[in-house]
Amino acid sequence: MLIGICFSVFVVILFIRLPNNTIVNNTPDEILVTSHAHTEFSHDGLISQEKMWAWHKRNGFDAFFITDHANHKKTLEFVTQQRNKQFPIKPLIMVGQEHSGSNHMSLLGLNGKFETKDKSDSLIVKLVHEHGGAVIVNHWFDGKGKDKEFYRDLGVDGFEIENVGKELYYDRAIFKDLKRFCEDNKLLMIGGLDFHGYGRACGIWNVFQIPNWHEMDPHKKEKSILEIIRNRDQSKVKVIMYQDRPFYSGENLLFQPFITLVNYFRTLNVWQVLSWALWLVLFQLLWNYRREHFIPMHKRMALTGMLSALFLVVLGLYYMVRGNAVKGYSKVFAEYSSLLLTIGSVFMVYSLVAIYFRFFRKVKNLN
């Protein structure tokens, strides 16, 4: 029962977009941009275009590119709606696409005038540049692509130096090597948010220095961002990261929960300590009077299990409906709906049996 409840809590943390720490931009001539995001029109996306826009607004962005896999036409339709003032212009949405060639690459500033299917990396980079766009190599440091020099020779505009989808961290020796390579070859370094609608909270922002950006019309705003990327002007781009935990080397996995807990308590201030003291006192009072005023623990566990199972089933049904609505685009809706429905149904049966034995079955007194 406890395992099932913990799994439900894990699903909440993973799939429900809970409020999180974010950033407030108080600078007049700098804007916050991301160049890498996926909606439900990408095979691995789990968020609608509207919710993606709202999520970026919540996290302080002034502009962002949607880079769905092998598809930018749907983004172009969404951008057209924004330009026609069907919803607010901030944050500004721009058209991109993630191309999966020898390595994943973000094609930024697409206008719908060409297709990428069955085209070579070199031809795609050429076409993007001919149409005023830019190309960024995504998470090269995961080791799945070709050498850095290959992409430099293709004419790409830069590399992702960090990527939230890659757990925020990777080998710092590789980081230093990639950073040095970009500096030596005048290639732009940028942060890849790589948000898919689930998983980590926002942890990367790209700061673009563009004076008077807020007074520009949408076309000039997008053009000014693309010009900086195309010109590979690192002096006008900073990558800032929010790190909510120390670097994890992959060692001592068994003890990591306790280490994380210790690190958490080491960072508390006086008011947070007092808050913990208050909750401990309340918990003690509830514990002292639990038998007289509350349902026994074994019955509460059964009810909590039932509610947890119901949550998994409802979320699974929601994903099934959304998957049918974007059939042919996202694959993860079907995967997660089947997983949640299966686990949720089994857990619900188990919880119902537990409720029966703990609430309704009468035990005979043999004395």
Side-chain angles (χ1 to χ4, degrees):
M1 186 70 71
L2 185 59
I3 290 173
I5 293 171
C6 288
F7 178 76
S8 300
V9 172
F10 168 73
V11 170
V12 169
I13 295 171
L14 183 62
F15 293 115
I16 306 301
R17 289 177 291 280
L18 302 171
N20 57 273
N21 293 329
T22 186
I23 193 170
V24 177
N25 182 9
N26 290 321
T27 59
D29 296 329
E30 292 182 328
I31 64 168
L32 301 176
V33 182
T34 184
S35 61
H36 195 169
H38 299 275
T39 73
E40 60 190 3
F41 291 110
S42 183
H43 73 84
D44 52 1
L46 206 65
I47 184 173
S48 68
Q49 293 175 324
E50 293 79 9
K51 290 181 179 178
M52 176 68 82
W53 177 84
W55 187 88
H56 276 81
K57 182 178 181 180
R58 162 70 181 81
N59 284 283
F61 287 97
D62 297 284
F64 68 98
F65 289 92
I66 293 178
T67 54
D68 288 332
H69 285 277
N71 170 36
H72 67 273
K73 297 296 177 65
K74 286 292 183 180
T75 304
L76 190 60
E77 293 175 9
F78 192 48
V79 167
T80 301
Q81 293 175 20
Q82 187 186 47
R83 300 299 191 272
N84 290 335
K85 300 181 179 180
Q86 292 179 238
F87 60 96
I89 206 70
K90 182 180 178 180
L92 182 73
I93 308 164
M94 296 170 288
V95 182
Q97 176 178 315
E98 185 162 22
H99 168 65
S100 300
S102 58
N103 196 94
H104 288 193
M105 293 184 284
S106 282
L107 316 179
L108 308 177
L110 303 185
N111 54 21
K113 293 183 179 179
F114 71 92
E115 296 286 345
T116 59
K117 188 177 180 180
D118 298 325
K119 291 183 173 62
S120 65
D121 288 353
S122 57
L123 179 57
I124 287 174
V125 172
K126 180 182 177 182
L127 287 172
V128 172
H129 284 160
E130 286 178 353
H131 287 82
V135 181
I136 299 293
V137 180
N138 296 339
H139 43 78
W140 171 86
F141 41 78
D142 62 12
K144 297 178 182 178
K146 296 188 178 183
D147 293 338
K148 303 184 294 296
E149 291 76 11
F150 173 80
Y151 301 102
R152 176 199 61 194
D153 296 341
L154 282 181
V156 301
D157 300 289
F159 284 76
E160 284 185 349
I161 196 71
E162 298 285 1
N163 183 292
V164 173
K166 295 301 172 186
E167 300 303 317
L168 279 179
Y169 307 104
Y170 59 100
D171 190 315
R172 294 293 92 177
I174 298 176
F175 166 84
K176 292 177 182 177
D177 180 56
L178 179 58
K179 182 174 181 289
R180 189 182 309 110
F181 177 81
C182 289
E183 290 172 342
D184 291 344
N185 291 276
K186 292 183 171 39
L187 294 169
L188 191 70
M189 291 173 282
I190 204 165
L193 185 53
D194 206 358
F195 184 59
H196 291 70
Y198 56 92
R200 273 191 182 275
C202 185
I204 290 181
W205 295 262
N206 294 300
V207 182
F208 279 61
Q209 188 177 41
I210 306 177
N212 303 315
W213 190 85
H214 296 284
E215 282 73 47
M216 299 177 184
D217 62 46
H219 175 72
K220 288 183 178 179
K221 286 181 176 181
E222 181 174 359
K223 184 178 179 182
S224 64
I225 291 172
L226 287 170
E227 281 180 351
I228 290 175
I229 301 174
R230 285 287 302 270
N231 294 335
R232 307 173 187 180
D233 191 350
Q234 196 70 58
S235 66
K236 294 182 179 179
V237 179
K238 294 182 291 187
V239 180
I240 56 177
M241 300 176 63
Y242 173 73
Q243 300 178 354
D244 60 352
R245 68 204 67 192
F247 175 73
Y248 173 52
S249 64
E251 300 175 354
N252 299 320
L253 178 61
L254 185 63
F255 300 103
Q256 277 303 308
F258 305 103
I259 295 172
T260 301
L261 189 63
V262 170
N263 287 333
Y264 164 74
F265 280 104
R266 289 174 62 188
T267 63
L268 297 184
N269 60 30
V270 175
W271 296 109
Q272 291 169 319
V273 171
L274 290 175
S275 177
W276 266 105
L278 175 63
W279 278 105
L280 289 173
V281 169
L282 289 174
F283 179 78
Q284 184 64 52
L285 292 173
L286 291 173
W287 183 262
N288 291 340
Y289 292 98
R290 70 190 187 283
R291 292 183 179 178
E292 298 178 12
H293 301 279
F294 297 101
I295 300 172
M297 176 61 75
H298 67 284
K299 291 185 177 181
R300 276 183 280 160
M301 284 288 288
L303 291 174
T304 304
M306 184 63 193
L307 291 174
S308 300
L310 186 62
F311 162 71
L312 295 176
V313 170
V314 169
L315 185 62
L317 290 172
Y318 171 73
Y319 282 170
M320 180 184 292
V321 172
R322 288 306 306 160
N324 290 331
V326 292
K327 196 171 184 178
Y329 292 98
S330 176
K331 296 179 180 179
V332 290
F333 276 119
E335 294 174 4
Y336 289 136
S337 65
S338 61
L339 176 67
L340 292 172
L341 286 173
T342 301
I343 295 176
S345 298
V346 172
F347 190 32
M348 183 175 290
V349 171
Y350 181 84
S351 299
L352 286 171
V353 172
I355 288 173
Y356 169 72
F357 277 99
R358 295 177 183 184
F359 280 87
F360 302 107
R361 187 168 183 264
K362 295 181 180 180
V363 180
K364 294 181 180 180
N365 191 343
L366 301 177
N367 292 330

